[in-house]
Amino acid sequence: MGYPGKNHKSYQTPKRPWEKSRIESETRLVIEYGLRNKREVWKAQEHLRKYRKGARNLLALGSSTTDKELYESKKEELITSLQRNGLLGPDADIEDVLSLKVQAQLERRLQTIVYRRGLARSPKQARQLITHGHVAIAGRRTSIPGYRVTRKEESEITYYGKSPFVADSHAEKERIAKPASTPKTSAFARPQGYGRAGGR
């Protein structure tokens, strides 16, 4: 344990910083989930890394120990925790923990769930609403876009009581209810006029 007052990184940076396939996949995740930067992807990967490590330790414990009750109790504790956090389904097993993808962790972010529940037009707007204090969980204002929402809290996400978004007459709520149909473009497509011909 280090000095308590010192900030410590909650993620690991990639070992190969210029790997093309990894950079492209991380960029897609940043765009799809409206993340601020790739550090948020690395934080999600770090959480999954801890879960996988716990699952591997359990498999090693199950193959080496004769105390089956200890193994079953630790297994149930891990799986129940992941089910409570919304990462696993009701009939999950250890193999399901090892097969978790980073998207599963990103889907549990408050920012993503606000967008999925139709409280915002886009992940970017969901992040803005949260940081500006327009979103609450069980009536309590929450201003952290990366907050990990549990299954119990998922149904309790609403607009904050004093937010102008509570009123049905709010103009932005009509836009959220009827999003404009815009053509989808590739995440890596260059804007029109970019390059030498465009004079940039």
Side-chain angles (χ1 to χ4, degrees):
M1 178 179 175
Y3 181 67
K6 183 179 179 181
N7 293 327
H8 297 275
K9 287 198 303 184
S10 57
Y11 60 89
Q12 292 182 5
T13 54
K15 295 181 180 179
R16 297 179 179 178
W18 307 113
E19 187 177 6
K20 181 180 179 181
S21 60
R22 179 193 55 77
I23 292 174
E24 290 179 349
S25 64
E26 289 177 352
T27 303
R28 290 190 189 97
L29 290 175
V30 169
I31 295 173
E32 179 182 355
Y33 290 95
L35 305 178
R36 183 179 181 184
N37 49 43
K38 293 181 181 179
R39 283 196 294 270
E40 297 188 338
V41 178
W42 299 339
K43 289 178 182 179
Q45 291 173 342
E46 183 65 24
H47 285 295
L48 290 184
R49 196 174 291 118
K50 293 177 181 178
Y51 297 146
R52 294 193 192 104
K53 182 179 179 181
R56 287 193 297 269
N57 291 340
L58 272 176
L59 290 175
L61 178 65
S63 61
S64 62
T65 186
T66 57
D67 191 352
K68 295 299 180 183
E69 292 184 1
L70 176 62
Y71 168 73
E72 291 296 335
S73 65
K74 287 184 174 293
K75 174 184 172 182
E76 183 179 0
E77 181 181 353
L78 174 63
I79 293 179
T80 302
S81 174
L82 293 176
Q83 289 173 339
R84 186 169 56 250
N85 291 328
L87 295 173
L88 292 179
D91 300 324
D93 204 352
I94 292 294
E95 288 75 14
D96 298 314
V97 180
L98 295 173
S99 62
L100 282 173
K101 304 291 185 182
V102 68
Q103 288 88 340
Q105 185 70 34
L106 294 175
E107 286 289 340
R108 302 310 305 172
R109 288 167 49 90
L110 177 60
Q111 175 184 354
T112 305
I113 294 180
V114 167
Y115 170 61
R116 300 288 189 221
R117 288 177 60 85
L119 300 178
R121 285 185 290 162
S122 66
K124 286 287 188 180
Q125 188 188 40
R127 186 183 191 95
Q128 184 184 46
L129 292 177
I130 294 168
T131 55
H132 288 188
H134 295 294
V135 176
I137 300 177
R140 184 176 181 179
R141 180 186 291 177
T142 306
S143 59
I144 304 173
Y147 177 81
R148 288 180 290 166
V149 181
T150 63
R151 285 197 185 277
K152 180 181 178 182
E153 295 172 332
E154 189 171 351
S155 60
E156 300 174 338
I157 298 175
T158 57
Y159 293 119
Y160 183 60
K162 296 182 180 180
S163 170
F165 280 83
V166 175
D168 294 333
S169 59
H170 196 283
E172 186 63 24
K173 288 189 70 173
E174 296 180 3
R175 297 192 186 101
I176 293 172
K178 298 178 181 180
S181 58
T182 55
K184 294 182 179 180
T185 57
S186 172
F188 299 98
R190 286 186 172 185
Q192 192 173 4
Y194 184 91
R196 293 182 181 177
R200 294 187 183 181

